[in-house]
Amino acid sequence: MRTITPGELRSWAKRTAITTAAIVVVASVAVVWLWHDRASLEDINWQPYPAIEPSLDAVTVNWLGVTTLLFDDGETQILIDGFFSRPSLADIVFGRPVESDAATINFVLDKYRMRRLAAIIPAHSHFDHAMDIGAIGNRSSASILGSATSAQIARGAGVPEDQIIVATNGSEYSFGQFTVTLIGSGHAPIGWGGAVPYSGSINEPLSTPAPISAWREGISYSIVIAHPYGTTIVQASAGFLQGALGGVNADVVMLGVGLLGGLGRNYAEQYWQALVSTTGAKHVFPIHFDDFTQPFGEILLYPRALDDFTETAAWFEEFGAIWDSDTRLHLPEFGKTVVLYPQASPEA
Ligand SMILES: [Zn+2]
């Protein structure tokens, strides 16, 4: 048998190293390319929400990215979710400990004039919804209303106990003229084998910094925000519970679509029916289509490799035409105040 000479071994090692380096370079280029290949919101041609003359007590909503929404009737403000600190992609991928970013939160509360916050209501307790609820609670007198898991996030941030309300499923909570009901729902089954990522609860005060995996789901809710002028439902995650919204009517649905594309058209159609057809809503705003690893205020669709919102948007147009032909789709605009409900003019 011929022995391999040291020279042959060196040249084999060299060739292997060159091949490996080439594969790494090609794979990296592919990942970078896939990460930057994103559809554009400009490919969606929906009409803006009908312009309604704002009165002093009009109910408005302002979308602040992902599923964070500020409702306001001129007297009372309600914040759904609270996600202003934006952990980076590297923080998420490498499980680095993260915490609320005080500078961003101070800036946002000031810029969007959140001085009358009565309630902060996380739709569930994953970090991209509930990360900043404690820090916001500490800068206001607002109640934090949510699951027992959300309560532990608030406690971990040092929010006083009398500002924390653990919601009872289906009970009504009044804040000024708003009546809010949290109805237990489902989270989009976007994990391996249809599981929910980071499910489960947080059973002691959550101290931060912590990796994003520490923010467990808790309970995912449909949030019904009723007001004498109209009703909006916020569904932050693209999950549903068959029959849970029976008997609930709404004018507007804020419909979470994060990674809905990957769950398929059939699933998306059932989701649409459970949230839109069931409630009779005439206006639908998809939310949670923007890449939450971007800095606060930057709206960019997810990479197509993860989710193509333009495809989901086309499905919604089809579902609307089939099931709810007088329902209209609208894109929310970051940081723009929208008057939600027309008001009957006062009696002459
Ligand atoms: Zn979630």
Side-chain angles (χ1 to χ4, degrees):
M1 202 177 87
R2 196 176 76 82
T3 50
I4 298 167
T5 66
E8 282 173 330
L9 196 61
R10 269 196 301 278
S11 95
W12 173 83
K14 196 172 159 188
R15 278 201 307 275
T16 307
I18 290 168
T19 309
T20 308
I23 290 169
V24 167
V25 167
V26 169
S28 308
V29 168
V31 166
V32 168
W33 183 80
L34 284 172
W35 191 253
H36 285 96
D37 176 34
R38 299 168 191 246
S40 163
L41 284 175
E42 282 164 19
D43 297 334
I44 298 170
N45 296 305
W46 294 342
Q47 294 297 312
Y49 194 76
I52 299 167
E53 192 66 37
S55 62
L56 277 178
D57 62 346
V59 179
T60 62
V61 69
N62 196 333
W63 177 63
L64 297 174
V66 194
T67 55
T68 297
L69 294 156
L70 179 65
F71 289 83
D72 192 348
D73 70 352
E75 180 184 280
T76 307
Q77 293 173 325
I78 292 179
L79 185 66
I80 302 300
D81 287 351
F83 180 51
F84 306 137
S85 310
R86 295 297 182 88
S88 68
L89 181 64
D91 290 335
I92 294 166
V93 170
F94 300 114
R96 291 176 187 155
V98 296
E99 62 187 330
S100 286
D101 172 5
T104 302
I105 292 168
N106 293 339
F107 164 79
V108 174
L109 294 190
D110 185 52
K111 169 141 189 169
Y112 297 97
R113 300 187 175 81
M114 291 186 221
R115 295 171 193 138
R116 293 174 283 104
L117 273 182
I120 302 162
I121 308 175
H124 64 274
S125 309
H126 283 149
F127 80 102
D128 54 327
H129 301 268
M131 182 168 173
D132 295 325
I133 56 170
I136 302 165
N138 283 331
R139 287 161 171 78
S140 73
S141 55
S143 300
I144 295 178
L145 172 66
S147 67
T149 289
S150 290
Q152 297 293 17
I153 296 171
R155 283 187 194 111
V159 174
E161 205 58 36
D162 61 7
Q163 251 177 282
I164 300 172
I165 307 171
V166 176
T168 304
N169 192 25
S171 292
E172 293 184 340
Y173 296 88
S174 293
F175 302 98
Q177 298 262 71
F178 290 100
T179 304
V180 180
T181 311
L182 277 64
I183 298 173
S185 185
H187 190 282
I190 50 174
W192 297 117
V196 173
Y198 311 126
S199 59
S201 53
I202 304 172
N203 301 312
E204 53 187 55
L206 178 67
S207 53
T208 60
I212 60 112
S213 56
W215 280 266
R216 314 305 289 201
E217 177 199 358
I219 299 170
S220 290
Y221 294 106
S222 301
I223 304 174
V224 183
I225 304 161
H227 187 277
Y229 293 142
T231 298
T232 294
I233 294 178
V234 179
Q235 186 76 10
S237 179
F240 61 95
L241 201 60
Q242 212 63 259
L245 293 176
V248 177
N249 295 315
D251 301 285
V252 178
V253 174
M254 304 284 179
L255 196 59
V257 297
L259 306 187
L260 178 59
L263 298 172
R265 193 181 183 283
N266 278 345
Y267 177 95
E269 188 162 22
Q270 290 175 51
Y271 177 53
W272 172 278
Q273 290 178 304
L275 269 297
V276 182
S277 307
T278 302
T279 61
K282 296 290 173 266
H283 299 278
V284 174
F285 287 91
I287 51 175
H288 214 336
F289 50 75
D290 48 322
D291 178 347
F292 54 71
T293 65
Q294 302 299 315
F296 178 80
E298 289 189 22
I299 305 300
L300 199 60
L301 294 181
Y302 293 115
R304 274 186 224 267
L306 283 179
D307 194 20
D308 184 350
F309 173 56
T310 56
E311 183 186 48
T312 310
W315 290 347
F316 283 177
E317 290 171 17
E318 291 166 28
F319 302 156
I322 298 168
W323 301 104
D324 305 280
S325 58
D326 51 354
T327 296
R328 297 287 166 259
L329 286 152
H330 315 282
L331 286 175
E333 274 183 65
F334 179 88
K336 191 185 162 197
T337 301
V338 173
V339 179
L340 276 174
Y341 316 118
Q343 287 162 240
S345 43
E347 302 290 322

